[in-house]
């Protein structure tokens, strides 16, 4: 089932999401809906708060190769347990801040620990686009958006554009 993606500014995008206590059938259904919504957007990642669910679940498929078979990852209660000193700058976008892109500097590599859909603890190292994406998604679980890393003036410009977009969408209805 496709879920509507919340557009910034929205208070639910600034909240800290709650840990998931057990990987139930409901959680697996939520993950399936988020995967469907991510591919439909299209995006390379999606965090639960972006579809208005304030729990700690993200989905990702950051392989850019359009020919590649879809290979979505589901990360439950993900946490960064190590990050490299070395940084990487990437032009990021966000499905909750449509058509706005800006350069964000983040650790080039991160090691992440999470629960998979079978409730098993997994640890994996990410680099390049995958590292950028998983950090962007975990930020969403903590109420942080990529524009929070920009200079205040640039952030304000983007926020004002989104407020205008939402006014037009409301009128368009
Ligand atoms: O808002 C999100 O979490 C999704 C976001 C993830 C992300 C993109 C780029 C850098 C860091 C994190 C997106 O997927 S925006 C859309 C996008 O970047 C894209 C869409 C289709 C193909 C390739 C990229
Ligand atoms: Zn985002």
């Amino acid at each position: 089932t496709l879920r509507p993606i919340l557009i910034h500014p929205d208070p639910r995008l600034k909240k800290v999401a709650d840990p998931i206590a057990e990987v139930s059938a409901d959680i697996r259904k939520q993950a399936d809906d988020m995967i469907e919504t991510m591919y439909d957007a299209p995006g390379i990642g999606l965090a639960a708060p972006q579809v208005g669910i304030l729990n700690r679940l993200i989905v990702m498929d950051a392989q850019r190769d359009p020919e590649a078979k879809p290979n979505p990852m589901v990360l439950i209660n993900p946490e960064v347990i190590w990050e490299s000193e070395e940084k990487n700058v990437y032009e990021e976008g966000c499905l909750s801040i449509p058509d706005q892109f800006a350069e964000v500097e983040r650790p080039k590599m991160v090691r992440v620990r999470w629960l998979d859909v079978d409730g098993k603890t997994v640890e994996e190292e990410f680099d390049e686009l995958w590292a950028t994406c998983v950090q962007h998604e975990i930020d969403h679980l903590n109420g942080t958006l990529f524009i929070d890393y920009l200079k205040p003036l640039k952030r304000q410009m983007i926020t004002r554009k989104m407020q205008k977009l939402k006014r037009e969408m409301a009128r368009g209805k």
Side-chain angles (χ1 to χ4, degrees), residues 3 6-7 10 16 18 20 27 29 31-32 35 42 46 51 68 72 84-85 97 99 125 131 137 144 153 158:
R3 306 282 186 134
L6 303 182
I7 302 298
D10 185 309
V16 175
D18 301 311
I20 290 169
I27 292 296
K29 167 74 169 78
D32 288 345
I35 288 168
L46 189 67
V51 291
S84 61
E85 296 284 313
I97 311 178
D99 306 322
E125 212 154 281
E137 302 310 332
T144 299
L153 204 60
I158 290 175

Short mmCIF file of all heavy atoms in Angstrom, two decimals, residues 3 6-7 10 16 18 20 27 29 31-32 35 42 46 51 68 72 84-85 97 99 125 131 137 144 153 158:
data_model
loop_
_atom_site.label_atom_id
_atom_site.label_comp_id
_atom_site.label_asym_id
_atom_site.label_seq_id
_atom_site.Cartn_x
_atom_site.Cartn_y
_atom_site.Cartn_z
N ARG A 3 2.03 4.87 0.85
CA ARG A 3 1.75 5.79 1.97
C ARG A 3 2.09 7.21 1.54
O ARG A 3 3.12 7.40 0.89
CB ARG A 3 2.63 5.43 3.17
CG ARG A 3 2.53 4.00 3.62
CD ARG A 3 1.29 3.74 4.41
NE ARG A 3 1.21 2.41 4.99
CZ ARG A 3 0.84 2.22 6.26
NH1 ARG A 3 0.58 3.24 7.05
NH2 ARG A 3 0.72 0.99 6.72
N LEU A 6 5.13 12.82 4.04
CA LEU A 6 4.98 14.15 4.66
C LEU A 6 5.97 15.12 4.03
O LEU A 6 7.11 14.74 3.72
CB LEU A 6 5.24 14.07 6.17
CG LEU A 6 4.37 13.10 6.97
CD1 LEU A 6 4.73 13.19 8.45
CD2 LEU A 6 2.88 13.40 6.76
N ILE A 7 5.53 16.37 3.84
CA ILE A 7 6.39 17.40 3.26
C ILE A 7 6.80 18.39 4.36
O ILE A 7 5.97 18.82 5.16
CB ILE A 7 5.65 18.16 2.14
CG1 ILE A 7 5.18 17.19 1.03
CG2 ILE A 7 6.54 19.25 1.51
CD1 ILE A 7 6.30 16.44 0.32
N ASP A 10 6.86 20.00 8.81
CA ASP A 10 5.82 19.19 9.45
C ASP A 10 6.38 18.74 10.80
O ASP A 10 7.47 18.15 10.85
CB ASP A 10 5.47 17.98 8.57
CG ASP A 10 4.30 17.19 9.15
OD1 ASP A 10 4.34 16.86 10.35
OD2 ASP A 10 3.35 16.92 8.40
N VAL A 16 11.70 12.65 17.60
CA VAL A 16 12.58 11.47 17.72
C VAL A 16 11.69 10.23 17.72
O VAL A 16 10.75 10.14 18.52
CB VAL A 16 13.42 11.52 19.01
CG1 VAL A 16 14.23 10.24 19.18
CG2 VAL A 16 14.34 12.74 18.99
N ASP A 18 10.34 6.30 18.08
CA ASP A 18 10.46 5.32 19.17
C ASP A 18 11.06 4.00 18.69
O ASP A 18 10.73 3.53 17.59
CB ASP A 18 9.06 5.02 19.75
CG ASP A 18 8.41 6.29 20.29
OD1 ASP A 18 9.07 7.02 21.04
OD2 ASP A 18 7.26 6.57 19.88
N ILE A 20 11.58 0.03 18.14
CA ILE A 20 10.61 -1.02 17.87
C ILE A 20 10.92 -2.17 18.84
O ILE A 20 12.04 -2.67 18.86
CB ILE A 20 10.69 -1.46 16.40
CG1 ILE A 20 10.15 -0.33 15.50
CG2 ILE A 20 9.95 -2.78 16.15
CD1 ILE A 20 10.40 -0.50 14.04
N ILE A 27 4.94 -4.79 11.75
CA ILE A 27 6.20 -4.11 11.39
C ILE A 27 6.62 -4.55 9.99
O ILE A 27 7.05 -3.73 9.16
CB ILE A 27 7.31 -4.43 12.41
CG1 ILE A 27 6.97 -3.78 13.77
CG2 ILE A 27 8.68 -3.97 11.92
CD1 ILE A 27 6.93 -2.26 13.76
N LYS A 29 4.65 -5.53 7.63
CA LYS A 29 3.71 -4.91 6.67
C LYS A 29 4.11 -3.46 6.43
O LYS A 29 4.14 -2.97 5.31
CB LYS A 29 2.28 -4.99 7.23
CG LYS A 29 1.22 -4.13 6.50
CD LYS A 29 0.83 -4.73 5.16
CE LYS A 29 -0.40 -4.08 4.52
NZ LYS A 29 -0.13 -2.76 3.86
N ALA A 31 7.10 -2.22 6.68
CA ALA A 31 8.32 -2.23 5.85
C ALA A 31 7.96 -2.43 4.38
O ALA A 31 8.48 -1.73 3.50
CB ALA A 31 9.28 -3.32 6.33
N ASP A 32 7.03 -3.35 4.12
CA ASP A 32 6.61 -3.60 2.72
C ASP A 32 6.01 -2.33 2.11
O ASP A 32 6.32 -1.95 0.98
CB ASP A 32 5.58 -4.74 2.65
CG ASP A 32 6.21 -6.09 2.92
OD1 ASP A 32 7.46 -6.17 2.87
OD2 ASP A 32 5.48 -7.05 3.20
N ILE A 35 8.73 0.18 1.37
CA ILE A 35 9.52 -0.21 0.19
C ILE A 35 8.76 0.18 -1.08
O ILE A 35 9.31 0.81 -2.00
CB ILE A 35 9.84 -1.72 0.22
CG1 ILE A 35 10.89 -2.02 1.30
CG2 ILE A 35 10.33 -2.21 -1.15
CD1 ILE A 35 11.06 -3.50 1.62
N PRO A 42 10.43 8.24 -7.10
CA PRO A 42 11.30 7.18 -6.57
C PRO A 42 12.34 7.75 -5.61
O PRO A 42 12.67 8.96 -5.68
CB PRO A 42 11.98 6.65 -7.83
CG PRO A 42 12.13 7.86 -8.70
CD PRO A 42 10.95 8.76 -8.39
N LEU A 46 14.00 5.59 2.61
CA LEU A 46 12.78 6.16 3.21
C LEU A 46 12.78 5.79 4.70
O LEU A 46 13.10 4.65 5.05
CB LEU A 46 11.53 5.62 2.52
CG LEU A 46 10.20 6.28 2.87
CD1 LEU A 46 10.14 7.72 2.37
CD2 LEU A 46 9.04 5.48 2.28
N VAL A 51 6.56 8.86 6.50
CA VAL A 51 5.18 8.45 6.17
C VAL A 51 4.32 8.52 7.44
O VAL A 51 3.31 7.85 7.57
CB VAL A 51 5.15 7.04 5.54
CG1 VAL A 51 5.77 7.08 4.14
CG2 VAL A 51 5.84 5.99 6.40
N ALA A 68 19.85 -2.71 -12.38
CA ALA A 68 20.01 -3.66 -11.26
C ALA A 68 18.64 -4.11 -10.73
O ALA A 68 17.69 -3.34 -10.74
CB ALA A 68 20.78 -2.99 -10.12
N PRO A 72 15.94 -4.18 -1.85
CA PRO A 72 15.70 -3.28 -0.72
C PRO A 72 16.21 -3.86 0.59
O PRO A 72 16.13 -5.05 0.83
CB PRO A 72 14.17 -3.16 -0.69
CG PRO A 72 13.69 -4.43 -1.28
CD PRO A 72 14.71 -4.85 -2.30
N SER A 84 34.06 6.83 10.14
CA SER A 84 35.45 7.15 9.76
C SER A 84 35.73 8.63 10.05
O SER A 84 34.82 9.46 10.08
CB SER A 84 35.63 6.89 8.26
OG SER A 84 34.75 7.71 7.50
N GLU A 85 36.99 8.93 10.27
CA GLU A 85 37.42 10.34 10.39
C GLU A 85 37.21 11.02 9.05
O GLU A 85 36.75 12.15 8.96
CB GLU A 85 38.91 10.41 10.74
CG GLU A 85 39.28 9.80 12.09
CD GLU A 85 38.88 10.73 13.23
OE1 GLU A 85 39.19 11.94 13.13
OE2 GLU A 85 38.20 10.26 14.16
N ILE A 97 11.41 16.96 1.06
CA ILE A 97 11.78 18.33 0.65
C ILE A 97 11.99 18.29 -0.85
O ILE A 97 13.12 18.39 -1.37
CB ILE A 97 13.06 18.81 1.37
CG1 ILE A 97 12.95 18.56 2.89
CG2 ILE A 97 13.33 20.29 1.10
CD1 ILE A 97 14.17 18.96 3.69
N ASP A 99 12.59 18.28 -4.80
CA ASP A 99 13.30 19.12 -5.78
C ASP A 99 14.28 20.12 -5.18
O ASP A 99 14.65 21.09 -5.83
CB ASP A 99 12.28 19.87 -6.67
CG ASP A 99 11.31 18.87 -7.32
OD1 ASP A 99 11.76 17.76 -7.68
OD2 ASP A 99 10.11 19.19 -7.39
N GLU A 125 29.23 -2.51 7.28
CA GLU A 125 29.93 -1.26 6.98
C GLU A 125 29.39 -0.72 5.65
O GLU A 125 29.19 -1.49 4.71
CB GLU A 125 31.42 -1.54 6.86
CG GLU A 125 32.29 -0.38 7.32
CD GLU A 125 33.65 -0.89 7.77
OE1 GLU A 125 33.75 -1.40 8.91
OE2 GLU A 125 34.60 -0.79 6.96
N ALA A 131 26.67 4.98 2.49
CA ALA A 131 26.99 5.57 3.79
C ALA A 131 26.20 6.87 3.96
O ALA A 131 25.58 7.13 5.00
CB ALA A 131 28.49 5.83 3.90
N GLU A 137 19.04 8.62 6.51
CA GLU A 137 17.82 7.96 7.01
C GLU A 137 17.78 7.91 8.53
O GLU A 137 16.73 8.15 9.14
CB GLU A 137 17.71 6.53 6.43
CG GLU A 137 17.70 6.43 4.91
CD GLU A 137 16.70 7.34 4.23
OE1 GLU A 137 15.66 7.68 4.83
OE2 GLU A 137 16.97 7.75 3.09
N THR A 144 16.15 14.96 12.36
CA THR A 144 17.11 15.83 11.67
C THR A 144 16.95 15.69 10.16
O THR A 144 16.84 14.58 9.65
CB THR A 144 18.55 15.46 12.07
OG1 THR A 144 18.71 15.65 13.48
CG2 THR A 144 19.56 16.35 11.34
N LEU A 153 20.45 30.93 6.20
CA LEU A 153 19.76 31.63 5.10
C LEU A 153 19.29 30.62 4.05
O LEU A 153 18.14 30.65 3.59
CB LEU A 153 20.72 32.65 4.46
CG LEU A 153 20.02 33.81 3.74
CD1 LEU A 153 19.14 34.59 4.72
CD2 LEU A 153 21.05 34.72 3.09
N ILE A 158 14.82 27.37 1.53
CA ILE A 158 14.20 26.08 1.17
C ILE A 158 12.88 25.91 1.93
O ILE A 158 11.86 25.51 1.34
CB ILE A 158 15.19 24.92 1.45
CG1 ILE A 158 16.36 24.98 0.45
CG2 ILE A 158 14.48 23.58 1.39
CD1 ILE A 158 17.46 23.97 0.69
#
